[in-house]
Amino acid sequence: MRLKVLATGTLALALLVGAAYLPGDTTWPLVAVALALLALFSIGWPRLMKLPAPIPVSVVIFLSGAAAVLLGLVREPRPDLGIVAPVVAAGVLLVFLTQLVRGTDAQKRLESVAVGISGMLIAAFGSGWVMLGIDPRWHVLGLMAGISMVGAAVAGMLRWPDRIVFPLGLVLAVLLGGAASLLDPRIGVVPALVLGAGCGLVVVAARAMLVSVGGPRDSIQMAAAALSPLLVCGSVVWYVSVLLL
């Protein structure tokens, strides 16, 4: 199952980066890939967290992620992640509403709220891939982030305790991020190291979380496990481009 999670995440990453590199001025291929991955994550996340009523939570997660992508694109003067906070705020209300409708005798209502809010945050952060991909100057950042993430993920495949895998994956991600700065002379070593550290930290932390919940049990849970760190890294890459470049 660990190999399948790695393969799924790598394929999803390749689709995002590849869509950003497609010729032409349109962003719709990248938007379509992002929305498809968000839909897959939204279906799998509540099931990965073993919620008894996953469908309403899945709907709210997808709507929040899709709203962050589409509304972020139309912001002026340039697309950004400023819409994430209000989208998540609205989504929190919807998550509470879904649990109120279930009734007071429903099981795991508090857990459902927590899973829904965390899923919305992950989905909304995934909009960073789209915001980054519309700027041709920084397409290479997605590729650099992918190299760092794959390095950390390969370390996470080891069946070793977290106290070993966590620092090993983080160090590999930082080193690969720094080496990936050679791909573009406009990107210095320091931003590349920060990018590698940020993406590596997300991946190894996600690995620790997934191990603690028992890991995925089927294909849809496996997809959610693979996509959760990938989507979060979208915001990491975008903020590195804003703050350091």
Side-chain angles (χ1 to χ4, degrees):
M1 186 62 75
R2 297 188 183 207
L3 284 174
K4 292 180 180 180
V5 171
L6 177 61
T8 302
T10 304
L11 176 60
L13 176 65
L15 289 174
L16 283 171
V17 175
Y21 273 97
L22 288 177
D25 296 331
T26 180
T27 61
W28 288 112
L30 180 57
V31 172
V33 170
L35 292 179
L37 295 180
L38 285 172
L40 194 58
F41 168 77
S42 301
I43 295 171
W45 182 252
R47 290 166 174 80
L48 179 63
M49 296 294 112
K50 301 176 177 61
L51 295 188
I55 294 178
V57 177
S58 293
V59 171
V60 175
I61 291 174
F62 176 73
L63 291 177
S64 300
V69 169
L70 298 177
L71 295 178
L73 283 174
V74 299
R75 283 179 60 86
E76 297 294 343
R78 65 182 296 271
D80 60 33
L81 297 186
I83 197 65
V84 167
V87 163
V88 171
V92 169
L93 297 178
L94 290 177
V95 170
F96 275 103
L97 182 61
T98 62
Q99 300 311 306
L100 288 174
V101 171
R102 290 181 61 204
T104 56
D105 58 342
Q107 296 181 346
K108 294 188 175 182
R109 292 203 302 169
L110 181 60
E111 291 88 339
S112 297
V113 170
V115 170
I117 293 175
S118 62
M120 284 190 304
L121 285 170
I122 294 172
F125 287 156
S127 62
W129 287 109
V130 179
M131 305 305 120
L132 181 75
I134 63 174
D135 191 340
R137 296 175 302 169
W138 305 131
H139 288 171
V140 70
L141 281 177
L143 180 58
M144 293 171 58
I147 293 172
S148 299
M149 292 170 62
V150 170
V154 169
M157 299 293 297
L158 300 174
R159 295 184 180 275
W160 294 349
D162 286 337
R163 65 178 180 273
I164 299 176
V165 173
F166 197 99
L168 176 62
L170 183 58
V171 169
L172 282 176
V174 171
L175 293 177
L176 289 173
S181 64
L182 298 174
L183 295 174
D184 195 319
R186 295 172 296 179
I187 300 175
V189 175
V190 172
L193 292 174
V194 173
L195 179 63
C199 292
L201 185 61
V202 169
V203 172
V204 294
R207 186 258 189 194
M209 183 272 294
L210 292 172
V211 170
S212 69
V213 300
R217 301 297 182 185
D218 54 35
S219 297
I220 193 64
Q221 294 182 18
M222 177 190 68
L227 291 174
S228 55
L230 173 62
L231 293 174
V232 173
C233 284
S235 64
V236 173
V237 181
W238 190 84
Y239 278 113
V240 168
S241 70
V242 170
L243 298 175
L244 298 180
L245 299 175

